[in-house]
């Protein structure tokens, strides 16, 4: 933690550096670029919060040595961390659609496979058993729960629709909590915890920043969204469907963030002026397969997102001033 110059009690107040990671399935390789830049700049993150694939990233980072976090993210995604820029490919857009079709029909061997029909009724379209196994090997949950970095994971109660937050300051987080946060219906199954059927955190809080904004500390907060709320007016059916998806998730995040910041300002008064809040969002390029981009696991697209996240976080760290800063670097 770093220190600010002012404190109500006379002693320097602790500046909490927090990163909130939204969900978005394969789009979350963008998170890895964000984490890579933070590591390169030697930024110590005190608090990670996430939903769905954002919870996965947070758990991988917190569940091991900080110096190896980027390597573990590269292993999770199955790509090299040493790429600089993906070569131009005139067929990238078409290849993306083929990868989406393959993912929907055959699954993705590193993450999920189609679930065979059973006589016991519908559970989900895909089985996440392989991702559960791989995460269990990549994440040291003793370390994750050690308190060296605070972790908050969001899920959604399937019956009540209420958001459910798990936090390492109030209880232990295990693999079931991470998998529950990934239960995006109907693709992935609910997970029962404490007698409740829990599903994807993105269905209630796709970027769970509320507990961070409730904290009584100056903040250096980075809200990392995988869906851009603002964008060009679409000129095709494909881009219209993509824009709708971005609005559904990106707008949810941003329209929650602004009033929450206002409430924090009322509660903390002048001290809220010490906060730096950066809002980053993945801005898909022309190579992405429209509204189905989150199911595109092609290595080149994973690498493009990774690089975009790295460059966007560089822009966020280099930006000046306090309050809410919206980072709009745009696609390469």
């Amino acid at each position: 933690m770093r220190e600010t110059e002012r404190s109500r009690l006379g002693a320097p107040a602790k500046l909490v550096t927090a990163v909130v990671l939204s969900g978005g399935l394969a789009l979350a390789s963008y998170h890895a670029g964000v984490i890579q830049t933070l590591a390169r700049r030697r930024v110590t993150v005190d608090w990670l919060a996430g939903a769905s694939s954002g919870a996965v990233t947070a758990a991988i980072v917190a569940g091991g040595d900080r110096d190896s976090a980027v390597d573990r993210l590269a292993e999770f995604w199955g790509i090299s961390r040493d790429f600089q820029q993906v070569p131009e490919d005139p067929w990238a857009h078409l290849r993306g659609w083929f990868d989406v079709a393959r993912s929907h029909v055959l699954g993705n061997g590193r993450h999920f496979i189609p679930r065979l029909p059973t006589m016991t009724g519908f559970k989900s379209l895909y089985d996440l058993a392989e991702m559960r196994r791989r995460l269990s090997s990549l994440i040291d949950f003793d370390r994750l729960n050690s308190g060296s970095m605070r972790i908050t994971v969001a899920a959604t109660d399937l019956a009540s629709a209420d958001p459910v937050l798990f936090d390492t300051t109030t209880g232990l987080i295990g693999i079931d909590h991470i998998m529950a946060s990934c239960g995006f219906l109907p693709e992935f199954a609910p997970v029962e915890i404490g007698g409740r059927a829990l599903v994807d955190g993105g269905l209630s809080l796709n970027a769970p920043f509320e507990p961070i904004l409730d904290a009584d500390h100056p903040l250096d907060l980075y809200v990392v969204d995988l869906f851009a709320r603002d964008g060009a007016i679409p000129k095709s059916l494909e881009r219209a469907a993509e824009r709708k998806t971005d609005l559904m998730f990106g707008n949810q995040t941003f329209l929650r963030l602004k009033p929450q910041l206002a409430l924090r300002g009322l509660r903390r008064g002048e001290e809220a002026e010490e906060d730096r809040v950066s809002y980053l969002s993945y801005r898909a390029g022309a190579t992405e397969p429209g509204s189905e981009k989150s199911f595109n696991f092609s290595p080149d697209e994973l690498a493009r997102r990774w690089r975009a996240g790295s460059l966007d976080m560089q822009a966020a760290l280099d930006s000046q001033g306090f309050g809410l800063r919206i980072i709009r670097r745009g696609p390469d």
Side-chain angles (χ1 to χ4, degrees):
M1 295 187 186
R2 300 191 298 278
E3 294 183 348
T4 61
E5 297 177 355
R6 298 174 5 181
S7 171
R8 289 176 299 175
L9 302 178
K14 295 294 185 180
L15 177 64
V16 172
T17 299
V19 180
V20 180
L21 304 165
S22 86
L25 202 60
L27 302 182
S29 58
Y30 179 86
H31 294 157
V34 166
I35 298 300
Q36 182 179 53
T37 289
L38 289 169
R40 285 176 173 171
R41 296 286 188 94
R42 303 293 182 186
V43 176
T44 299
V45 178
D46 306 300
W47 193 344
L48 278 173
S52 193
S53 54
V56 170
T57 302
I60 291 173
V61 172
D65 183 82
R66 295 193 187 208
D67 292 338
S68 67
V70 176
D71 289 327
R72 283 180 282 114
L73 287 169
E75 182 179 348
F76 176 75
W77 290 111
I79 58 177
S80 169
R81 58 170 289 180
D82 297 321
F83 59 83
Q84 293 299 316
Q85 186 157 2
V86 181
E88 291 293 329
D89 177 4
W91 301 101
H93 182 236
L94 184 59
R95 292 182 198 280
W97 275 108
F98 276 122
D99 192 86
V100 165
R102 182 170 58 246
S103 295
H104 279 302
V105 174
L106 302 176
N108 179 285
R110 300 180 63 86
H111 302 283
F112 57 89
I113 59 173
R115 190 185 294 275
L116 297 177
T118 67
M119 300 298 292
T120 59
F122 178 79
K123 188 172 183 180
S124 65
L125 293 175
Y126 305 103
D127 186 344
L128 285 170
E130 178 58 20
M131 191 173 86
R132 174 187 282 265
R133 185 195 67 76
R134 293 179 61 240
L135 288 178
S136 296
S137 68
L138 283 171
I139 300 168
D140 180 343
F141 282 97
D142 288 336
R143 184 155 192 156
L144 183 149
N145 289 293
S146 68
S148 60
M149 182 187 298
R150 184 172 176 178
I151 302 297
T152 303
V153 169
T156 303
D157 188 307
L158 182 56
S160 70
D162 292 332
V164 180
L165 295 174
F166 300 101
D167 194 291
T168 51
T169 64
T170 57
L172 299 179
I173 289 178
I175 187 64
D176 280 349
H177 302 92
I178 306 303
M179 301 309 297
S181 187
C182 295
F184 193 78
L185 294 174
E187 284 82 2
F188 309 118
V191 175
E192 184 173 323
I193 299 177
R196 293 182 296 182
L198 301 181
V199 292
D200 199 290
L203 298 174
S204 56
L205 299 177
N206 201 37
F209 45 71
E210 281 81 356
I212 295 172
L213 293 179
D214 285 342
D216 195 22
H217 300 281
L219 293 174
D220 190 10
L221 171 62
Y222 300 88
V223 178
V224 183
D225 206 344
L226 296 180
F227 300 92
R229 71 179 296 265
D230 60 319
I233 296 176
K235 297 181 179 180
S236 68
L237 175 60
E238 176 187 0
R239 296 307 168 190
E242 178 184 26
R243 189 76 193 104
K244 181 182 77 171
T245 302
D246 288 350
L247 285 168
M248 288 171 60
F249 287 101
N251 228 18
Q252 175 212 118
T253 297
F254 193 79
L255 293 181
R256 285 180 17 247
L257 179 61
K258 290 186 72 176
Q260 288 293 324
L261 288 173
L263 288 173
R264 178 174 170 84
L266 290 173
R267 180 168 57 85
R268 289 181 55 81
E270 290 186 3
E271 289 185 322
E273 297 176 5
E274 298 175 343
D275 294 335
R276 287 165 46 94
V277 181
S278 301
Y279 177 79
L280 299 71
S281 52
Y282 172 58
R283 298 174 183 276
T287 57
E288 287 279 24
S291 61
E292 293 295 316
K293 59 194 174 189
S294 61
F295 269 84
N296 181 5
F297 288 85
S298 66
D300 281 355
E301 212 59 63
L302 294 173
R304 285 190 186 93
R305 297 170 193 145
W306 183 312
R307 184 170 187 272
S310 179
L311 293 174
D312 285 356
M313 180 51 78
Q314 290 178 41
L317 293 174
D318 291 341
S319 65
Q320 302 297 315
F322 294 86
L324 177 61
R325 293 97 49 78
I326 300 174
I327 308 303
R328 290 189 181 92
R329 194 189 56 83
D332 292 342

